[in-house]
């Protein structure tokens, strides 16, 4: 993220510590809900700064949080989001691509690590690393599932104590992804270890360049 956004985020993290435990829990729910909106991280952190100050002032007066944000935190957040300009579609897509690149970098690094370990143990296609159809499907499935879970958590951050969730569906999806990775062994490509290392470094470099220019 941009430097000014990062500095404001760090400032907000420090300011949060001045709140009571209950106030911090409420602020966390608000921030999580805002993360699932289409406003930029810069706008989110500005809103977070203002709400933190409102909660601190209320606590200093001995008042409950409801006196400043109302009885329904979700409705309060929705009213704020409605007043702010949404992030442009192109920027939103670039942010999604940036986050996807980080996840892809991590998954590629894990694949590389397991491939090297298999090679050292005398298995696999050492000194090359075989990329299979199942691994590609598994990687895509994990990325999409993670995005879905994050979105679900953000949109339901105020559902205190809610036990219902798409957990059975999540289990079935992950089971299917695992099976694909194990049984779909058709090779797509065999990459030399240096090329695989270069792919990890390249993905991470592109992610960092995008992260420096996007909120």
């Amino acid at each position: 993220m941009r430097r000014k956004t990062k500095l404001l985020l760090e400032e907000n993290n420090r300011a949060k510590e001045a709140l009571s435990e209950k106030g911090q829990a409420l602020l966390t729910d608000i921030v999580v809900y805002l993360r699932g909106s289409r406003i930029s991280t810069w706008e989110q952190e500005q809103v977070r700064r203002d709400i933190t100050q409102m909660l601190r002032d209320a606590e200093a007066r001995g008042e409950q949080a409801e006196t400043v944000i109302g009885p329904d935190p979700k409705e309060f957040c929705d009213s704020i989001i409605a007043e702010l300009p949404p992030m442009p579609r192109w920027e939103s897509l670039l942010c999604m691509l940036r986050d996807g690149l980080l996840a892809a970098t991590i998954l590629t690094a894990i694949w590389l690590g397991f491939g090297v370990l298999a090679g050292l143990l005398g298995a696999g296609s050492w000194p090359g690393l075989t990329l299979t159809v199942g691994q590609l499907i598994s990687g895509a499935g994990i990325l999409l599932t993670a995005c879905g879970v994050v979105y679900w958590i953000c949109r339901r951050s105020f559902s205190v104590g809610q036990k219902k969730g798409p957990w059975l569906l999540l289990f079935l999806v992950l089971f299917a992804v695992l099976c694909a990775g194990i049984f779909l062994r058709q090779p797509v490509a065999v990459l030399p270890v240096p090329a695989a290392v270069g792919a990890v470094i390249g993905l991470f470099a592109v992610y960092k360049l995008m992260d420096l220019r996007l909120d």
Side-chain angles (χ1 to χ4, degrees):
M1 63 181 63
R2 294 186 177 98
R3 177 173 173 77
K4 65 174 184 178
T5 306
K6 184 177 181 180
L7 291 174
L8 182 55
L9 186 147
E10 293 173 350
E11 176 187 327
N12 287 337
N13 287 341
R14 291 191 296 268
K16 177 184 175 181
E17 300 300 321
L19 293 172
S20 65
E21 184 175 339
K22 183 179 179 180
Q24 290 187 30
L26 174 60
L27 183 62
T28 297
D29 289 340
I30 291 173
V31 171
V32 170
Y33 189 79
L34 291 175
R35 295 294 187 239
S37 69
R38 281 195 58 203
I39 60 176
S40 68
T41 306
W42 170 247
E43 297 281 3
Q44 292 175 26
E45 289 302 319
Q46 288 183 304
V47 170
R48 181 186 176 195
R49 178 188 58 195
D50 295 341
I51 294 176
T52 301
Q53 190 59 53
M54 290 166 62
L55 294 175
R56 290 177 64 178
D57 292 343
E59 290 185 355
R61 296 191 301 267
E63 298 175 350
Q64 297 295 320
E66 289 78 6
T67 60
V68 292
I69 67 172
D72 188 344
K74 181 178 180 298
E75 183 178 338
F76 173 76
C77 290
D78 286 338
S79 66
I80 293 176
I81 293 171
E83 295 295 325
L84 294 171
M87 189 186 305
R89 179 68 64 179
W90 65 268
E91 188 173 352
S92 178
L93 291 174
L94 284 177
C95 287
M96 292 174 60
L97 176 61
R98 174 200 59 190
D99 297 339
L101 279 172
L102 178 60
T105 301
I106 294 171
L107 289 177
T108 306
I110 292 173
W111 169 75
L112 172 62
F114 276 108
V116 170
L117 180 61
L120 294 176
L121 294 176
S125 54
W126 189 263
L129 300 177
T130 301
L131 180 63
T132 67
V133 172
Q135 289 169 341
L136 287 176
I137 294 175
S138 295
I142 290 171
L143 287 176
L144 292 174
T145 302
C147 290
V149 170
V150 169
Y151 180 80
W152 186 86
I153 290 174
C154 289
R155 303 317 295 170
R156 288 160 178 79
S157 64
F158 297 113
S159 301
V160 180
Q162 184 181 32
K163 295 182 180 180
K164 293 183 179 180
W167 308 123
L168 177 59
L169 177 61
L170 176 62
F171 172 78
L172 292 175
V173 170
L174 290 178
F175 180 73
V177 165
L178 179 63
C179 289
I182 293 175
F183 296 112
L184 298 180
R185 307 295 298 173
Q186 298 92 329
V188 174
V190 178
L191 299 178
V193 173
V197 172
V200 173
I201 295 174
L203 286 171
F204 186 71
V206 175
Y207 159 75
K208 288 300 293 183
L209 287 173
M210 295 182 70
D211 191 48
L212 290 172
R213 290 163 174 78
L214 296 169
D215 282 334

